[in-house]
Amino acid sequence: MTESERDATSTPGVPERGRPAGEGTVTTEPEPPARVLSIHAHPDDQEFTVAGTLAKWARAGSAIVSVCITSGHAGSNKYTPPEMTREALAPIRQAEQRAACRLLGVGEVVFLDYEDGALEPSIALRRDLTRLIRRYRPDAVVCGDPTVRYYGRSYLNHPDHRVAADVTLDAVFPSAETRLIFPELLDEGLLPHHVGAVFIHGAERPDTWVDITETLAVKVAALREHKSQMGEWDPEEMLTEWAREQGVPRRLGAAEAFRVMVLDGD
Ligand SMILES: [Zn+2]
């Protein structure tokens, strides 16, 4: 998240106000999945986007693992001391991400230490995410929308966000469930795993809404844990407005909206 993102008049990941729900709209909220893998590019991405849903599911008993593909070591901003280096920033941001996840009830955080700001849709990353899906065997994966190049007229989606989402979907299908893709994972004892559903946030045509009225406050608190990024800025007003806007199509006071892919097993 950058200053320009915060200032964007059309908020990233938030549907245009009052946009009608699309075809295939799910009118009832899905049950919390038993096991969830939440995959994002940077520390704080999860807190800006899906933290209300994750906190709600954690309270309902879901086992949630959060995957942070980079360590956010390029996340400098006007609050960053001039002497800060990438090497010094990485452990700070990892600690902030762990603190945020503790508040949300996320049980485990995995950092893959890819390069912040230069993420590529590589086979190595696809293999790493496939490994995690086979290890944690989630019922649902939560990620961004790789097809969104920009939101509104003032926010260009971060390339790392697109790559993280793109490779996550490729890992979910076909890699995780196909025995002879990445056979070296079989040698690690990691058998194929079919993911039942993917919750895609930031989709321009969402079809599923999660009511986060009860967890908006903890979402705000979790985002505040990213102190190196927040500085003096209080995210409460912006997150509250995003939640309000996302809830409009379903007449919810506070929501997170998703496009949900329900994947057939063979
Ligand atoms: Zn980000």
Side-chain angles (χ1 to χ4, degrees):
M1 179 64 59
T2 64
E3 290 302 304
S4 61
E5 287 172 48
R6 289 178 200 162
D7 296 343
T9 50
S10 181
T11 45
V14 175
E16 297 296 331
R17 189 168 307 175
R19 170 180 288 166
E23 225 175 286
T25 292
V26 177
T27 51
T28 54
E29 188 174 318
E31 290 295 313
R35 292 186 306 277
V36 179
L37 206 53
S38 170
I39 303 176
H40 305 275
H42 311 121
D44 81 17
D45 290 346
Q46 171 181 276
E47 284 62 49
F48 270 109
T49 55
V50 299
T53 297
L54 296 183
K56 182 174 190 174
W57 288 351
R59 289 176 182 183
S62 301
I64 305 173
V65 176
S66 178
V67 179
C68 196
I69 296 172
T70 78
S71 296
H73 49 253
S76 56
N77 53 59
K78 69 182 181 186
Y79 305 112
T80 311
E83 67 275 15
M84 181 63 76
T85 62
R86 292 161 63 95
E87 293 71 26
L89 189 55
I92 292 170
R93 298 209 64 192
Q94 288 189 3
E96 290 171 348
Q97 187 63 56
R98 288 197 179 90
C101 283
R102 270 195 298 276
L103 282 183
L104 298 175
V106 171
E108 187 173 348
V109 191
V110 177
F111 293 95
L112 292 178
D113 294 321
Y114 278 78
E115 187 171 356
D116 184 2
L119 202 57
E120 292 180 304
S122 65
I123 294 300
L125 176 56
R126 193 190 302 179
R127 183 188 296 107
D128 282 344
L129 293 179
T130 301
R131 178 184 288 110
L132 293 175
I133 291 168
R134 291 194 185 182
R135 179 178 297 155
Y136 291 104
R137 313 188 80 72
D139 302 295
V141 166
V142 178
C143 65
D145 185 334
T147 69
V148 181
R149 186 66 182 79
Y150 40 75
Y151 292 97
R153 302 187 70 186
S154 59
Y155 175 57
L156 298 174
N157 196 10
H158 194 300
D160 290 356
H161 297 169
R162 299 201 311 275
V163 170
D166 204 22
V167 180
T168 296
L169 295 183
D170 290 344
V172 165
F173 180 84
S175 306
E177 66 181 47
T178 304
R179 192 173 65 88
L180 294 180
I181 295 178
F182 301 134
E184 60 272 34
L185 297 180
L186 295 176
D187 299 336
E188 297 177 24
L190 296 170
L191 298 174
H193 174 69
H194 173 72
V195 174
V198 185
F199 284 69
I200 298 169
H201 73 78
E204 292 190 296
R205 293 191 177 278
D207 56 19
T208 303
W209 283 260
V210 175
D211 183 343
I212 64 162
T213 306
E214 301 295 324
T215 52
L216 177 58
V218 73
K219 177 179 186 176
V220 172
L223 184 54
R224 283 187 185 129
E225 290 292 343
H226 295 278
K227 297 183 178 72
S228 70
Q229 307 303 299
M230 299 297 114
E232 303 296 309
W233 180 68
D234 185 349
E236 181 170 14
E237 187 180 334
M238 191 188 78
L239 288 191
T240 302
E241 176 60 14
W242 285 7
R244 194 194 65 74
E245 289 180 12
Q246 290 186 73
V248 166
R250 300 247 50 86
R251 296 190 174 86
L252 296 168
E256 287 169 349
F258 299 90
R259 180 183 178 99
V260 176
M261 302 293 297
V262 179
L263 306 174
D264 288 334
D266 56 14

